Amino acid sequence: DQLNLSGYELVSRRDRRDGRSGGGILCFVSSRFAGQVILCEHSEVDERTWHIVHADIGPVLFGAWYRPPCAGETASITACEDEWRRLSQSYVATILVGDLNVHHQQWLRFSSSTSVEGTALFRFCMGSGLKQRVKEPTRAEHLLDLVLSDVDPVHVDVLGQIADHNIVVAAFKFGVPEAV
């Protein structure tokens, strides 16, 4: 089935590959910017996609990722770091967003604990210069939906709830030329 949003074009779709129903990730872009955001690649195993954003500051690496809750699972974080290290060399900035289902009480203020996977993601971000930009809970009292970037956003807002998560909107200072 195909989801259509008026005024937007589908850039990428990554369905679940593990047999679970529903879910997956979609990346839509405003029709005004069609052609300025292009799928670079899908992760081989994980629900993660990488895109090129042709911005006025240069090419920006944009990733979208769903990491299911799984205590102790760090292979997806290691794979993300490997993908990022390979891809990021050609970009001026990185933005990685998603429902990452990790907890780290010192780093992610609204966490229930400090998990192995939370520590692994924290170490990846610290080593790569990515900062976590969301400052409010995004699912009940927990902060699970993250915006990781090495470029400062203008603002990050946590809006109303859809299903069991709140909407997260992040705005950045760079521009993206409109399609002609």
Side-chain angles (χ1 to χ4, degrees):
D1 295 338
Q2 187 70 28
L3 176 66
N4 292 306
L5 296 175
S6 179
Y8 291 83
E9 293 187 23
L10 180 65
V11 174
S12 68
R13 177 179 177 162
R14 177 74 165 153
D15 293 324
R16 289 187 170 163
R17 299 174 59 165
D18 62 5
R20 291 178 296 148
S21 63
I25 54 175
L26 299 169
C27 181
F28 284 92
V29 65
S30 170
S31 299
R32 293 179 26 215
F33 307 109
Q36 304 298 355
V37 180
I38 300 166
L39 175 65
C40 181
E41 69 180 50
H42 292 292
S43 173
E44 288 289 323
V45 177
D46 301 309
E47 286 178 61
R48 185 172 45 254
T49 57
W50 296 99
H51 307 81
I52 303 166
V53 178
H54 295 286
D56 58 8
I57 62 169
V60 174
L61 180 62
F62 173 78
W65 181 14
Y66 171 71
R67 184 194 164 277
C70 185
E73 187 282 321
T74 59
S76 64
I77 297 165
T78 300
C80 179
E81 183 173 5
D82 292 344
E83 292 165 6
W84 179 83
R85 288 198 188 291
R86 179 175 44 80
L87 294 169
S88 66
Q89 303 303 311
S90 301
Y91 298 89
V92 298
T94 299
I95 301 168
L96 178 59
V97 302
D99 176 3
L100 302 187
N101 289 297
V102 300
H103 292 273
H104 191 285
Q105 288 180 319
Q106 293 171 322
W107 180 45
L108 305 172
R109 183 173 164 213
F110 300 97
S111 292
S112 60
S113 63
T114 297
S115 64
V116 171
E117 57 276 16
T119 300
L121 185 61
F122 173 72
R123 287 181 178 154
F124 162 48
C125 289
M126 293 302 104
S128 62
L130 297 174
K131 294 180 182 176
Q132 201 295 113
R133 308 300 183 157
V134 183
K135 304 301 180 197
E136 300 175 47
T138 60
R139 183 172 192 262
E141 69 276 3
H142 299 281
L143 172 53
L144 301 179
D145 304 280
L146 308 181
V147 174
L148 308 171
S149 68
D150 54 9
V151 59
D152 291 331
V154 175
H155 68 270
V156 176
D157 293 321
V158 177
L159 306 177
Q161 187 173 334
I162 293 182
D164 59 341
H165 289 260
N166 292 76
I167 298 168
V168 177
V169 176
F172 293 86
K173 285 186 177 184
F174 60 83
V176 177
E178 289 192 38
V180 280

